[in-house]
Amino acid sequence: MSEKHVNPDLVNPELESQFDTVLVVDFGAQYAQLIARRVREAHVYSEIVPHTITAAEIVEHSPAGVIFSGGPKSVHVPNAPLIDPEVYDTGVPVLGICYGAQLMSLQRGGEVANTGRGEYGKTDLAVLGDGGVLLRSDQPRFQSVWMSHFDSITKPPEGARVLATTPDVPAAAFEDHGRKLYGVQFHPEVAHTPYGQEILKHFLYDACGCRPTWTMTSIIEEQVHAVREQVGSGRAICGLSGGVDSAVAAALVHKAIGPQLTCVFVDTGLMRSGEGEQVVETFRRNFGIELLHVRAADRFFDRLEGIVDPEEKRKAIGELFIRVFEDSSGGIDDARFLVQGTLYPDVIESGGGAADTIKSHHNVGGLPEDIEFELVEPLRWLFKDEVRRVGEELGLPEEIVWRQPFPGPGLGVRIIGEVTPEKVATLQHADAIVREEIKKAGLEREIWQAFAVLPDIRSVGVMGDERTYAHPIIIRAVTSEDAMTADWARLPYDLLERMSSRIINEVAGVNRVAYDITSKPPGTIEWE
Ligand code: XMP
C-alpha cells in the first residue's frame, strides 16, 4: 500500500458521495479555510486536503473540482510546496488562486517572474475579451480585486488564454477551458474582492457543473441520519458548555435520537458569571430533556493546582472534564456515546491540516487516550457560520445561537499562571463588567468577542492615600469573521474609560486596566 497523504479526519466519504464536492488544496496558509467556506456559501460541499495529495488520491474522492489555495511562500524558493503535476491530466477542473495560480503556471509551461513589483491591497482589474468562464459578461469590465503577492505570472500555462490584467500583472486571470484549468492571481475569497464570490460561483457551477445542494436543511437531514446510524438504540450523553457549539450539537442529536439523549452540564467553576444557572434554565425549558447539573468546581481547582503551562492546563481540563462525565453518569451508566460540538476548524487547527498545531483545542487534542465513550460529532464537518445557521434552523433561541464564542477550558485559559478560586472570582467579576458595558453600548453583535484576562503580574498603584500592589485586568475585544484572523476592536475611548473605572472601583484586588491592541495573527484571540 502506498502512503496516504490525506488525513481521514478531514474528509468524509459519506458527504462526498451525497454532495458535489470540491477539494481545497492547502498550500500552508490559512487561506484554505476561507476558500472552503466561500465554496460552501455557494452551497457546494468542500473539504481541505494537503498539497502532498497525489493525483490518484484526488481521483479517489471523485471531486467535481479542485481549488489550489494561496500560500505564504514564493514558488521560487527551494522548498516551495508543490503538487503532483498529474493532477492537471485527470480532467478534474482546477482553479488556482494566487500561489496556486502561480504554481499551475510554473508546472504547465508558463512563467512566474520575480518582477520586484509585488501588489498588496486593492488593485484595478481589467477584463479582456469575453472574460471566459470566470469573468464572463455579467461581470464588470473593470473591477476592484484584492492582491497579496510578490511574484507575478508573466505567462499563463501553455495553451491558456489571459482573461484579465492589472497594472502590474499581465496574466491576472487565465483559463484553458478545454483542459479545465483556471487561475486568478488575486483573492476572490476575500470580502475586498466585491465580485469574488461571483467568480467562484462561475468556477463551481459553470466549470465544474456543481449543483447547489449543500444547504442547512440537507446537512441537518444528513447528520440526523448519520447520528441514528451511529447510535442505534444506544444512549448518548452530551456535555453542555453554554456555548453555541455544544448547544447546536445537543439540539441536532436530540432531533435524531430524542429521549436517548441526556444532557450533562458540568459546572467546572470556570464559567462566566451567572452562566451555569442560565444554561440549566434554558435547556430544561427549551428542550424539555433530562439535564444533569454536576457541580465539579472543587475537583477542577484541585486538579489545576500548581499548573501554569497553558497546554498542560488545557489537557488537564479536557481530561478531567471527561472523567467527571464518567463519574457522574450514575443514572445513565449505560451511555456509550458522548456528543461533542467539535467543528471542522477545530479539527484542522489540531493538526489535521497542513497548518501547524496552533493550540490543542479542548474538545479535540485534549482528550485522554483511554476515553470510555464513542464520540458523536455532528458538527465536525461544519464551519461556525454554518453551525449558527443550523442552530437557527433547529429553532434554538437567538441568545444561544449568537452567543459569543467561549473556549472549552473556560476562564482557565484567561487566567495566566495558576488557576485558583479567588482568581476566577476576580476575573468573573471583571468579565461581567466588560460584557455588560459592551451590551449597553449596543456593540454585542459587532464585536466577535469581548472579555477580560487576568495576567499573573502585579503592579504598583495608588488609591486614596494608599499604595496598592495588585493585579491588572486586560480587556480583550476583537472583531472577526471566523476567528481564524481577528482585529482588535476600535472601542470608543469613553466606553473603555467606563470599563476601566468600573473594574478598578468594583473589583477587589485590581488596580490597573490595560487594553490589548494585538490582531490575530500574530496574536491569538485567547491569551493561552
Ligand atoms: P484563538 O485563541 O486560537 O481562538 O485565536 C480562536 C477561537 O476559538 C476559541 N477557542 C476555543 N474554543 N475550545 C473551544 O471550543 C477551545 O479550547 C478553544 N480555545 C480557543 C476562542 O475563544 C476563539 O473564539
Side-chain angles (χ1 to χ4, degrees):
M1 271 286 277
S2 59
E3 190 197 346
K4 286 272 181 218
H5 300 96
V6 182
N7 184 332
D9 284 347
L10 289 176
V11 290
N12 184 329
E14 284 285 316
L15 294 178
E16 286 174 6
S17 71
Q18 277 191 49
F19 298 94
D20 291 339
T21 302
V22 165
L23 299 180
V24 178
V25 179
D26 184 353
F27 280 99
Q30 293 189 350
Y31 303 102
Q33 287 201 40
L34 188 53
I35 297 168
R37 279 180 49 219
R38 295 286 181 246
V39 169
R40 293 190 188 190
E41 279 170 22
H43 305 296
V44 174
Y45 177 57
S46 59
E47 294 175 337
I48 294 177
V49 295
H51 68 89
T52 46
I53 190 170
T54 63
E57 284 172 318
I58 286 180
V59 171
E60 279 172 27
H61 292 271
S62 316
V66 172
I67 300 181
F68 293 175
S69 80
K73 292 204 169 135
S74 158
V75 284
H76 293 301
V77 299
N79 55 351
L82 302 176
I83 184 118
D84 178 356
E86 286 185 20
V87 64
Y88 305 113
D89 301 318
T90 57
V92 178
V94 182
L95 170 66
I97 293 178
C98 194
Y99 179 90
Q102 296 177 352
L103 183 63
M104 185 193 290
S105 300
L106 210 60
Q107 289 183 318
R108 299 286 303 180
E111 279 166 21
V112 178
N114 189 334
T115 56
R117 287 212 308 265
E119 277 179 310
Y120 301 92
K122 280 195 175 164
T123 309
D124 293 322
L125 182 84
V127 178
L128 305 176
D130 65 357
V133 168
L134 300 183
L135 291 155
R136 57 182 50 202
S137 52
D138 60 346
Q139 295 264 320
R141 312 282 299 171
F142 296 94
Q143 55 175 278
S144 179
V145 296
W146 187 260
M147 290 282 195
S148 172
H149 65 101
F150 196 67
D151 296 336
S152 178
I153 303 168
T154 42
K155 187 168 159 255
E158 203 82 56
R161 68 182 173 117
V162 175
L163 305 179
T165 60
T166 67
D168 287 313
V169 184
F174 60 79
E175 74 172 24
D176 178 344
H177 194 44
R179 291 191 182 84
K180 301 248 177 227
L181 302 179
Y182 308 82
V184 289
Q185 175 63 82
F186 55 90
H187 287 273
E189 75 276 20
V190 304
H192 305 294
T193 301
Y195 291 91
Q197 185 67 1
E198 297 307 308
I199 295 168
L200 281 178
K201 282 183 182 168
H202 280 314
F203 173 70
L204 297 170
Y205 303 151
D206 304 334
C208 306
C210 290
R211 293 157 300 171
T213 51
W214 177 256
T215 62
M216 295 310 115
T217 317
S218 60
I219 298 161
I220 292 170
E221 256 170 42
E222 203 281 335
Q223 282 304 310
V224 161
H225 174 77
V227 170
R228 281 190 189 138
E229 286 267 287
Q230 186 186 358
V231 177
S233 59
R235 277 173 72 68
I237 58 176
C238 174
L240 288 177
S241 68
V244 53
D245 304 343
S246 62
V248 175
L252 194 51
V253 172
H254 188 241
K255 188 178 168 75
I257 61 168
Q260 287 161 252
L261 171 73
T262 302
C263 286
V264 181
F265 170 52
V266 174
D267 198 336
T268 59
L270 304 171
M271 310 278 296
R272 286 167 288 196
S273 172
E275 209 161 40
E277 299 72 36
Q278 199 187 10
V279 167
V280 174
E281 156 69 14
T282 311
F283 282 91
R284 285 206 175 125
R285 196 187 61 221
N286 274 291
F287 293 96
I289 57 173
E290 191 187 337
L291 183 121
L292 299 182
H293 184 183
V294 186
R295 293 178 175 80
D298 291 347
R299 282 183 71 177
F300 278 87
F301 288 129
D302 282 352
R303 179 70 184 82
L304 289 171
E305 212 181 300
I307 298 183
V308 294
D309 178 72
E311 285 297 290
E312 203 186 324
K313 212 190 265 183
R314 278 174 172 271
K315 287 225 157 65
I317 296 172
E319 198 170 304
L320 182 56
F321 199 85
I322 302 288
R323 294 287 166 251
V324 171
F325 253 93
E326 290 173 345
D327 295 352
S328 61
S329 56
I332 43 170
D333 53 5
D334 55 336
R336 207 160 57 76
F337 299 92
L338 176 67
V339 180
Q340 292 247 302
T342 315
L343 308 192
Y344 199 45
D346 298 339
V347 184
I348 298 168
E349 285 201 26
S350 290
D356 291 337
T357 300
I358 297 172
K359 288 175 186 175
S360 70
H361 273 256
H362 159 58
N363 37 11
V364 182
L367 288 177
E369 275 162 25
D370 58 340
I371 178 171
E372 285 178 17
F373 296 103
E374 186 181 322
L375 294 183
V376 179
E377 298 178 310
L379 312 178
R380 197 188 172 85
W381 305 100
L382 304 184
F383 289 102
K384 191 94 185 183
D385 42 346
E386 295 176 313
V387 169
R388 289 213 163 101
R389 282 187 286 132
V390 166
E392 282 176 337
E393 184 102 4
L394 289 169
L396 281 170
E398 194 183 306
E399 66 265 25
I400 288 190
V401 171
W402 287 100
R403 177 168 281 178
Q404 286 185 355
F406 188 60
L411 299 181
V413 292
R414 294 179 181 171
I415 291 170
I416 313 311
E418 192 187 20
V419 176
T420 64
E422 297 73 33
K423 285 187 190 169
V424 169
T426 304
L427 183 58
Q428 276 177 336
H429 194 169
D431 183 69
I433 293 172
V434 170
R435 289 187 295 129
E436 204 178 301
E437 290 298 330
I438 289 278
K439 191 170 180 179
K440 271 199 228 154
L443 293 172
E444 237 182 348
R445 281 259 183 127
E446 224 169 284
I447 301 294
W448 175 266
Q449 276 172 288
F451 55 86
V453 175
L454 179 59
D456 195 21
I457 50 172
R458 285 193 286 172
S459 76
V460 174
V462 57
M463 263 178 141
D465 292 335
E466 297 271 311
R467 174 186 185 274
T468 58
Y469 186 53
H471 286 294
I473 279 287
I474 289 146
I475 298 173
R476 178 75 164 143
V478 297
T479 53
S480 174
E481 255 200 67
D482 56 5
M484 297 304 302
T485 60
D487 198 5
W488 59 276
R490 272 47 171 185
L491 295 184
Y493 282 169
D494 56 343
L495 173 61
L496 287 169
E497 187 191 337
R498 263 197 311 282
M499 289 175 176
S500 164
S501 61
R502 276 196 63 194
I503 290 171
I504 289 167
N505 288 323
E506 297 173 30
V507 184
V510 174
N511 67 348
R512 193 179 288 266
V513 172
Y515 188 48
D516 182 350
I517 52 167
T518 318
S519 58
K520 172 185 180 175
T524 49
I525 295 174
E526 302 292 343
W527 269 49
E528 284 192 341

